[in-house]
Amino acid sequence: MSDPAAAPSRNPTIRTIAMPADTNPAGDIFGGWLMSQMDLAAGTVAALTAHGRSATIAVEGMKFLRPVKVGDEVSLFTELLKVGRSSMHIHVEAWRRERDHEHSEKVTEARFTFVALDGEGRARPVRSAPGGDG
Ligand SMILES: CC(=O)SCCNC(=O)CCNC(=O)[C@H](O)C(C)(C)COP(=O)(O)OP(=O)(O)OC[C@H]1O[C@@H](n2cnc3c(N)ncnc32)[C@H](O)[C@@H]1OP(=O)(O)O
């Protein structure tokens, strides 16, 4: 979606540091940790869009392009692609930067679909807040 050689110019939705606790026994960062960061970033967009609770219903096109190392700064960039009746489709890119270097590279991207939920955990229209004000 973006130029693979340059991180998006907009601010990331989440920026964090990959820590030793996020590694597998081989010392590499878990793909699951990265997926959870992406889910959190997409969830932030979904919450702001739906003005309430939402849940992940699908993740498509997840591709791990490059490994993340302990100490890397990891930035999650999001873009709201489409809003359906109850669904929100959000593109997420994860970029890594070594702590002591300027250069960034894209490590993962995927398309997350969230569904706006009512108080009982059922799908509801995105454009109506749970209280039904719109
Ligand atoms: C906090 C967390 O995020 S936990 C992460 C794990 N996620 C969950 O626990 C969610 C578990 N799933 C559920 O509870 C249910 O599936 C619900 C409540 C989210 C949705 O209930 P459903 O009855 O399946 O909803 P429904 O079939 O009406 O689909 C809802 C929307 O999702 C869309 N959708 C359904 N499946 C998919 C899919 N595989 N890919 C993309 N969109 C999908 C539908 O097109 C619909 O969109 P629209 O309303 O904009 O037209």
Side-chain angles (χ1 to χ4, degrees), residues 54-58 60 84-87 89 113-115 117 121-123:
S54 62
T56 315
I57 193 167
E60 297 166 89
R85 193 191 80 85
S86 68
S87 63
H89 305 263
T113 303
F114 275 68
V115 173
L117 301 179
R122 295 177 306 230

Side-chain angles (χ1 to χ4, degrees), residues 48-70:
L48 282 169
T49 304
H51 299 295
R53 185 177 166 197
S54 62
T56 315
I57 193 167
V59 182
E60 297 166 89
M62 176 73 72
K63 190 171 176 183
F64 294 97
L65 306 166
R66 304 284 301 156
V68 174
K69 304 292 184 185
V70 170

